[in-house]
């Protein structure tokens, strides 16, 4: 077995294709080009265009929230024309001193066809979606919706 010196031990590419199973089928699904973040592992050892784990984490919370939002809106007979979220996450030291995703801020913009809820109704839909989101309920991360986007 070949021994690597300290600098060589960290000289490997942090890219991969991640298979995301669909509907419980471990053999099918979507292939997502993944990599470490270039903010953590410098180029060319990472790929800036690929999804990094922190981005995937934020995207999963955002997607979960959106799906519950759409469900609660449809129960109120509201028709969502477009839902866009410019979610962001913060990677920082947590209370235990370890790096973690400390905060995810959802910044959704929603347009409706026909009847539109008022600002309070929109905030309530987001609150319901947040309370129901499996992923937000499963993490230590502070997940919140930026109310300035609920207009």
């Amino acid at each position: 077995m070949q021994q690597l010196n300290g600098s060589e031990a960290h000289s490997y590419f942090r890219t991969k294709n991640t298979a995301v199973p669909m509907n419980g089928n471990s053999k099918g699904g979507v292939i997502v080009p993944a990599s470490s973040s270039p903010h953590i592992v410098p180029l060319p050892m990472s790929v800036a265009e690929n999804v990094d784990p922190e981005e995937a984490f934020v995207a999963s919370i955002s997607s979960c929230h959106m799906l519950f939002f759409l469900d609660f809106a449809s129960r109120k007979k509201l028709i969502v024309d477009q839902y866009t979220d410019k979610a962001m996450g913060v990677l920082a030291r947590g209370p235990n001193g370890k790096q973690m995703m400390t905060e995810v801020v959802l910044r959704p913009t929603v347009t409706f066809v026909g009847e539109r809820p008022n600002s309070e109704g929109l905030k309530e839909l987001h609150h319901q979606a947040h309370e129901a989101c499996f992923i937000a309920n499963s993490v230590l991360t502070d997940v919140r919706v930026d109310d300035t986007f609920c207009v």
Side-chain angles (χ1 to χ4, degrees):
M1 175 189 241
Q2 179 183 2
Q3 290 287 328
L4 300 175
N5 69 35
S7 64
E8 290 173 328
H10 296 294
S11 296
Y12 60 92
F13 290 100
R14 271 66 162 208
T15 60
K16 65 179 282 215
N17 286 327
T18 301
V20 180
M22 305 297 284
N23 302 319
N25 180 359
S26 62
K27 294 181 181 167
V30 177
I31 303 297
V32 178
S35 174
S36 55
S37 170
H39 295 101
I40 297 170
V41 177
L43 299 171
M45 304 315 273
S46 60
V47 177
E49 295 78 21
N50 291 9
V51 175
D52 66 54
E54 296 80 18
E55 291 170 330
F57 180 79
V58 172
S60 69
I61 293 172
S62 173
S63 294
C64 184
H65 181 92
M66 177 198 68
L67 292 169
F68 275 109
F69 180 93
L70 295 173
D71 178 52
F72 290 123
S74 72
R75 292 180 194 193
K76 294 185 179 291
K77 308 291 187 228
L78 298 169
I79 301 169
V80 174
D81 182 47
Q82 186 173 10
Y83 184 107
T84 306
D85 189 358
K86 295 181 180 179
M88 58 158 280
V90 176
L91 179 65
R93 295 219 182 272
N96 62 2
K98 295 180 180 180
Q99 285 284 100
M100 64 178 280
M101 295 298 293
T102 57
E103 181 180 23
V104 170
V105 180
L106 306 178
R107 302 180 301 174
T109 303
V110 185
T111 57
F112 295 87
V113 173
E115 184 184 348
R116 173 187 168 75
N118 62 23
S119 181
E120 287 307 310
L122 191 55
K123 287 178 185 178
E124 178 58 26
L125 284 168
H126 282 296
H127 175 74
Q128 289 176 310
H130 176 68
E131 290 295 312
C133 177
F134 307 139
I135 298 170
N137 290 329
S138 300
V139 298
L140 298 174
T141 306
D142 177 29
V143 179
R144 64 184 177 83
V145 177
D146 185 341
D147 285 348
T148 60
F149 285 80
C150 295
V151 292

